[in-house]
Amino acid sequence: MNTMTSTGSPAPADSDSASAEPGRGRGLRLGGMNWLVWRQHRAAYWTLVAAAAVTVVFIVYERHQMMTYLDGYGWPHLKSGWEDRLNHRTLDMAGLVIGYMPILIGVFVGAPLLAGDLESGTAKLVNSQSASRVRWLATKLGVTALVVVVSTTAVSVAFGWWWSPIKTSSYIFSWIEGPAFDNTGPVPAALTLLSVVGGVAIGMLLRRTLMSMVVTFGFAVAVQVAWSQARMSLGDVLTVTSDQGVGENSAPAVPEGAHIVDQSYLTSSGDLIGWGSCAEATEKATAACLDKAQVVGWGIEYIPISQMPSMQWLGASLLLALTACIAAFVILRGRKRLV
């Protein structure tokens, strides 16, 4: 932390001349507060970057394996039966592990970011330095957010690239489910930033690293649960109907890859009633119930896969807005009371 102050010693003449020439001897090196924050948390940052790099390399290899298999079935126009011998366990497991990424990064990167300095007393040195506390906090949050966004975006793009050849098939997982929706597009970065910045705020309030990590774990899990419940509400539910009766092959067609929200009976008056309304014990009783309700066909409510990008960006915007509010709280509180 004492690197934040100047020693006051006169710099050598050759050093002055070198610094006067743009770019000489510096390259892309960080300087000042950015260098200090990176130096202090370099172990966590490099671990995050390395984990993302290894994950991307693994995904590239697995996608090559999958495409070799799909090419044998005529991809992109796949022949029937391609699902039978596809080994999708690796994709399932990868989707599950990557889904835990926001929780793990929030616990091991976000929670200790300030809690460690407050617990060890390092934060007290900020008051004796020339740099303001606001600048110190903003730099910590900014550098950490940059590393998190770069790492999670790389994994998100790679995973989406891996899954995209079979995204319209629900054989592995539907696009509306967590392994697909939460691991592609802007959602992973937004979820992770919320967990990380939330962990920073928790660490600032609790001032104990271990306790902050435990509470941040609970916070990150709660965010995941709430997000999984709110995900469906981001889409615009469409309805398609048919009036060809309720026998076999009478249901209306929906776009490929669409997520079916609900299926109902359509009456002659145009109303939709639940298909369970005529779930009688015998076929004869069921037919009588359908006749009495004047059922003429089916109504299907669905969300097309074409809405996936807009739903992801809308959800990510809401998550980032909440993250910005928490970050503002951290900076405002840190400006008034840090130690």
Side-chain angles (χ1 to χ4, degrees), residues 114-156:
L114 286 182
D117 291 344
L118 293 169
E119 185 175 20
S120 64
T122 304
K124 294 181 179 180
L125 294 177
V126 176
N127 293 325
S128 63
Q129 307 302 318
S130 58
S132 67
R133 286 176 290 182
V134 171
R135 182 187 172 193
W136 180 62
L137 290 171
T139 304
K140 269 182 173 286
L141 290 174
V143 173
T144 303
L146 179 61
V147 175
V148 167
V149 169
V150 170
S151 302
T152 54
T153 300
V155 174
S156 170

Side-chain angles (χ1 to χ4, degrees), residues 62-254:
E62 288 296 330
R63 187 184 190 275
H64 173 73
Q65 297 292 101
M66 185 182 73
M67 291 307 300
T68 301
Y69 170 83
L70 293 179
D71 286 339
Y73 282 85
W75 186 88
H77 305 290
L78 293 170
K79 303 174 184 177
S80 61
W82 67 269
E83 303 99 333
D84 298 339
R85 299 181 61 186
L86 176 65
N87 183 8
H88 58 85
R89 288 177 296 179
T90 304
L91 184 59
D92 288 337
M93 186 59 66
L96 181 64
V97 172
I98 295 175
Y100 291 131
M101 178 173 61
I103 299 175
L104 296 176
I105 297 177
V107 170
F108 291 102
V109 176
L113 197 70
L114 286 182
D117 291 344
L118 293 169
E119 185 175 20
S120 64
T122 304
K124 294 181 179 180
L125 294 177
V126 176
N127 293 325
S128 63
Q129 307 302 318
S130 58
S132 67
R133 286 176 290 182
V134 171
R135 182 187 172 193
W136 180 62
L137 290 171
T139 304
K140 269 182 173 286
L141 290 174
V143 173
T144 303
L146 179 61
V147 175
V148 167
V149 169
V150 170
S151 302
T152 54
T153 300
V155 174
S156 170
V157 171
F159 187 81
W161 178 60
W162 182 11
W163 170 69
S164 61
I166 53 175
K167 66 181 182 180
T168 57
S169 172
S170 59
Y171 174 68
I172 299 179
F173 40 70
S174 172
W175 64 269
I176 198 65
E177 297 176 8
F181 194 91
D182 297 349
N183 292 341
T184 60
V187 176
L191 279 173
T192 306
L193 282 176
L194 178 57
S195 297
V196 168
V197 177
V200 173
I202 291 170
M204 170 179 280
L205 296 175
L206 298 183
R207 298 169 176 263
R208 294 292 183 270
T209 302
L210 184 58
M211 185 183 301
S212 299
M213 294 174 71
V214 173
V215 176
T216 298
F217 176 81
F219 168 77
V221 171
V223 167
Q224 292 283 352
V225 173
W227 171 253
S228 66
Q229 298 298 317
R231 188 191 304 127
M232 283 286 298
S233 63
L234 300 172
D236 183 17
V237 179
L238 306 179
T239 302
V240 61
T241 61
S242 67
D243 55 0
Q244 305 301 316
V246 294
E248 294 184 4
N249 301 320
S250 61
V254 297

Side-chain angles (χ1 to χ4, degrees), residues 51 111 124 126 128 263 271-272 282 328:
K124 294 181 179 180
V126 176
S128 63
Q263 184 170 340
D271 297 328
L272 294 176
T282 64

